[in-house]
Structures are given as structure tokens and as C-alpha cells.
Amino acid sequence: MTMMFLSKHRVFHVLLYITFIVGLCTPAAPNAANATPVVPLPRVSPPPQSMESNGASITLPKQAKLVFGMGADLTAVALVRETLENHGVRINDKAGNFEIYVGGPEETPESEGILAKLGREGPEALPADGYVLAIERSQGIKIVLSGKDATGTYYAALTMSQLIQRQGESVRLPAVYIRDYPNFPFRGGEESFYGPQWSWEDRYDQVDFLSEHKMNYFFYGPAEDDRTTGRAWRDLYPPEELEKFRRLVEYSRAKHVNFLYRIGPESPQIGGSALGICHARTADRDALIQRLEQMYSIGVRTFVISWDDVTETFTCEEDAQRYGSGPIALATAQAEVLNDIQERFFDVFPDVERGITIPSQYWLNEPTPYRSTFDELVTESMDFYWTGPHVMSLRWKSRSRMSLLRNRHSLVTDFLSSIIIRSTIITGIDYCSAR
């Protein structure tokens, strides 16, 4: 379940869980008195929800005062500093005619007052990860990067880094007022496919790519990592391997990317005949929880329990005796394991995100004995992964909907070239096709 995506100089297989929906640039008139003549606005990707500008730009002095509070996001501050210094602007606390405020009201309280003086609304009414970016001339040059939260402030810094331009000997920023936020809370890419695993360098590069494009999840679950599949899922990572994961998780967090870990305990359909989980066996359920706890200990807070691409047959006599055989028996066994994990892991650690599961039948719109049973029995605290009417769905029309319609999220994933959706249960998507 993958799609191709070109990242920098390397082709990656990635899963895009929601790209930002294209926003409109609405012309307006910020306070840009004494700004330099009209110039075209630089391209910002993803496009902001709202960007007001009269086309004027401001020539930056050689020195700037950088203001940020004790709670400001240090990654955002570092990015602003790097952006300026790379364009020849030095940070100087005494540079009073060019001031940059980094941080929302909870991070840098001064930013709220500056926005008020500029007559601009702050980020308080925006969704999570939203931000306000104001670049204006008012008693000198004022730039305010004010996030709804730390991630929003970081996204404001990313936008500013795309707006700055060198024109001859001058460095300029457009006089703009931007209000931006993601349309969906779950946006990212994955290493989850058959074939050779990425190197650790590849993974860091992917995190950088996701971060730079304001995506916030990296899904880890390559089939060739035996510990993420039914081949060796019971075995914990040795300390040296676990330390590599810990460093990547820590790096991802600093870049505002959540590391999502997938484990599939069922007997795999591809890549070996190792015995999968014995659903009825307490020791196997304990082993699954131990793996989740191991990854939790290094900072992972988002988990996927997957049942996809498996043999769909029981591998132990206890399961046959307890559940019987067939699709209803399989769904019942998987649901019992998920509910046990919910109670003994997800409910125990309050900082863990909602659990996500991939059913064995992760596509189709129509009900089946497996799907109906799985939905009926799995706790409503767990979200589902779904690829649409087909394994690789290129298009949804109105009325195309999931038959699992209880109070949970569905993850609509895979194979649209421009938009993938995670939201509350979808009751109709009108031609969400490649465009």
C-alpha cells in the first residue's frame, strides 16, 4: 500500500496523510507605508489559507533584534536566526528599528501586544498548528511570528524562510499578513512497503522533508523489519538498535514530526511462514504490550496495530478452539486483542494518542461478515485505516463511504496523487481525485 513521491534527489515510497488544501491569496492592504516598490510575491508551499498583500516589499537592514520568550519554540527561533544570517542580517539586541517577535501569546507574550498595535488579529481563534505572520513597517520594521502553539510558530518560521529574497545587494521581505492553518490534523509520510529498508540517513532525510512541508507524522512500519511483522514481532529491539530509534524519535519531535510506529502481529502473507500471534494466548498479548511499552520508553506516542496483508488463518490450536474458523472468527479474535491492548496500554498512558488499527479488509465500501463483526466488537476508542472502495483507490465519488460508521475516525489513505484524508467518518467526498 504505497505511492511514489519524489523527495529532493531521492525517490521515496511515501504515504501522504493529507496534504494542505490549497488556500487562496486574497489581495488586501497591510500597513506598508514607505515600503519599496511593488514586486511579485514569492511562492509559498503549501499555500497559506489567507495572505494579504498590496505587492509592496520591505528592504531589510543589516541588523535585527530577535525577541522571544522563555516558552518559545527553540526550533522556530533557530530557523528564524538561520534564515536571517544566511541573507546577511545579523542579530543584535540593540537593533531597535528592526524587531522580530517569535512565539504566540503563550510563548512570547510581547507578540500579542505588537499585533494589537499593528491592528492585526492574533492566532487564538485558529485551529491547532495554525499561525499568524505579520511583516509590516510601523515605527521601524516589525515581524511577528505568532503560533496557536509551538508547531504553529515553527510553521510561521518556515513560511518566512520562503518569503525572504535577495535582490542584488538588498534583502527583502514582502509586506504581508498571513493567517494559516492545516485543514487536517494528520499529515505525513511513511516507510511502509515490501523491499529493502531505508538507511537511517534516509529516515532523517524523510523527517526533514516532512517538516519542511508542514507535515507532522512519520509512519514507520517497513515489512523487512521483522519486528514490525508476524515474523519476529515478539522479539524486543536490542539496546543498540533501540538507541537508534530513540535518536530518530527525538530528532523528529524537535522538527515537529510525530514518529508513528506500526506493528503487525498476524502471520504475514508475504515474506515467510513464521507463526503469527495466538490471539487467545495471554503470553502473546503480553508480548505485544511489551513491544508497545518498549517504544513508548523512547518517546513514541502514536501506534498502529495492523492486521493487513496476512494469511487470515489461525496458527494455533487455542484460537481454533476458542473462535472457530472463517472471517467472523478472525474479526472476533483480532477485536479481542485490540480491546485488551486498549485497556492495558492505551488507557494506562494518558499521553499516548488514540490507537489506530488496520483491518485485514482495509478497503471496500460494502459490509462483509468480517468488516461488520470487526466494527461491532472493536472499541470505539480506536481509529481505523481505510483505503477507499479499492485497495488502491484513485477516486471517490459522492456517496462513496465506509460501511463502518460508528463514532471513530477513519484513515483514508493511499494512492491519490494530490490529497489523502483523515477525518471523522466520511459521509461523502465529491470527486477527491488527482488534480
Side-chain angles (χ1 to χ4, degrees):
M1 297 187 294
T2 60
M3 62 184 288
M4 297 297 295
F5 196 90
L6 184 62
S7 170
K8 298 181 181 176
H9 58 277
R10 185 182 290 111
V11 176
F12 287 111
H13 290 275
V14 301
L15 169 68
L16 293 184
Y17 292 107
I18 309 307
T19 56
F20 281 63
I21 301 301
V22 175
L24 298 178
C25 296
T26 307
N31 182 359
N34 301 319
T36 52
V38 172
V39 294
L41 279 173
R43 181 175 178 271
V44 177
S45 178
Q49 299 282 351
S50 171
M51 180 158 62
E52 300 178 6
S53 174
N54 63 2
S57 68
I58 300 172
T59 300
L60 304 185
K62 295 297 184 181
Q63 299 185 66
K65 180 179 180 179
L66 190 59
V67 181
F68 57 94
M70 293 291 292
D73 180 67
L74 296 182
T75 305
V77 173
L79 178 57
V80 171
R81 183 187 297 272
E82 179 185 5
T83 298
L84 293 170
E85 291 180 346
N86 285 346
H87 287 81
V89 179
R90 248 183 350 108
I91 303 302
N92 184 343
D93 290 342
K94 297 181 179 179
N97 65 333
F98 180 17
E99 299 174 344
I100 304 174
Y101 296 82
V102 183
E106 301 298 321
E107 303 171 89
T108 305
E110 296 94 328
S111 67
E112 187 173 17
I114 297 299
L115 283 173
K117 288 180 180 178
L118 295 175
R120 296 302 190 182
E121 185 180 356
E124 291 82 358
L126 295 177
D129 300 350
Y131 67 89
V132 165
L133 173 59
I135 303 173
E136 304 192 15
R137 186 181 292 279
S138 175
Q139 296 180 335
I141 299 170
K142 299 288 191 297
I143 298 179
V144 182
L145 304 91
S146 182
K148 172 74 172 184
D149 45 38
T151 298
T153 297
Y154 175 62
Y155 289 169
L158 285 170
T159 297
M160 177 182 149
S161 72
Q162 295 183 61
L163 290 172
I164 195 167
Q165 291 182 308
R166 185 182 295 277
Q167 297 179 356
E169 296 298 316
S170 300
V171 176
R172 295 179 179 177
L173 277 168
V176 294
Y177 172 62
I178 294 174
R179 293 181 66 80
D180 192 19
Y181 56 89
N183 281 344
F184 297 94
F186 199 104
R187 313 169 300 281
E190 71 171 1
E191 179 189 0
S192 183
F193 46 80
Y194 296 99
Q197 294 184 66
W198 289 349
S199 68
W200 288 99
E201 180 185 359
D202 289 337
R203 291 166 186 147
Y204 281 95
D205 189 67
Q206 175 71 348
V207 169
D208 286 340
F209 176 84
L210 296 173
S211 176
E212 290 165 10
H213 290 80
K214 301 187 176 89
M215 291 187 262
N216 63 346
Y217 280 89
F218 173 49
F219 183 120
Y220 178 85
E224 295 306 309
D225 180 347
D226 289 349
R227 290 178 176 83
T228 70
T229 67
R231 290 191 295 275
W233 66 269
R234 295 174 182 83
D235 300 335
L236 297 177
Y237 289 104
E240 61 274 14
E241 189 78 359
L242 190 65
E243 176 61 17
K244 294 178 182 178
F245 277 108
R246 187 196 65 77
R247 291 175 183 173
L248 181 60
V249 170
E250 189 175 276
Y251 182 83
S252 300
R253 184 181 298 112
K255 290 282 189 172
H256 295 275
V257 175
N258 298 304
F259 186 96
L260 185 156
Y261 185 83
R262 165 196 174 272
I263 181 170
E266 206 76 85
S267 183
Q269 189 177 49
I270 300 174
S273 57
L275 294 180
I277 187 172
C278 185
H279 306 76
R281 191 176 294 164
T282 300
D284 273 10
R285 297 187 188 186
D286 291 345
L288 183 54
I289 290 175
Q290 287 168 11
R291 163 60 55 70
L292 300 179
E293 290 176 341
Q294 183 187 46
M295 302 310 290
Y296 177 90
S297 73
I298 61 167
V300 178
R301 295 297 182 266
T302 313
F303 297 90
V304 170
I305 313 299
S306 65
W307 311 100
D308 58 308
D309 298 342
V310 297
T311 60
E312 300 188 21
T313 56
F314 293 137
T315 58
C316 69
E317 185 60 30
E318 294 101 308
D319 280 352
Q321 291 178 357
R322 180 165 179 168
Y323 305 110
S325 62
I328 292 178
L330 180 67
T332 301
Q334 292 172 351
E336 280 195 8
V337 173
L338 291 172
N339 293 343
D340 189 23
I341 293 172
Q342 179 69 42
E343 182 177 337
R344 294 201 287 146
F345 177 75
F346 289 101
D347 290 346
V348 169
F349 298 99
D351 57 340
V352 171
E353 294 190 12
R354 284 175 62 96
I356 303 168
T357 186
I358 307 177
S360 293
Q361 294 179 6
Y362 51 82
W363 70 98
L364 297 174
N365 292 331
E366 301 75 24
T368 67
Y370 170 89
R371 286 160 57 83
S372 298
T373 303
F374 193 82
D375 178 54
E376 178 63 30
L377 296 181
V378 172
T379 170
E380 292 183 4
S381 297
M382 195 159 289
D383 292 342
F384 286 174
Y385 186 117
W386 178 59
T387 61
H390 308 287
V391 173
M392 297 177 181
S393 299
L394 298 177
R395 173 174 295 191
W396 285 270
K397 295 183 179 180
S398 298
R399 311 293 183 189
S400 178
R401 67 180 70 190
M402 210 176 168
S403 64
L404 310 183
L405 291 176
R406 298 204 299 156
N407 295 326
R408 65 175 94 247
H409 291 75
S410 62
L411 300 188
V412 183
T413 61
D414 283 350
F415 238 73
L416 289 184
S417 63
S418 66
I419 177 172
I420 308 297
I421 294 174
R422 181 194 188 187
S423 66
T424 50
I425 286 296
I426 295 165
T427 57
I429 308 172
D430 197 8
Y431 287 99
C432 279
S433 58
R435 58 180 184 267

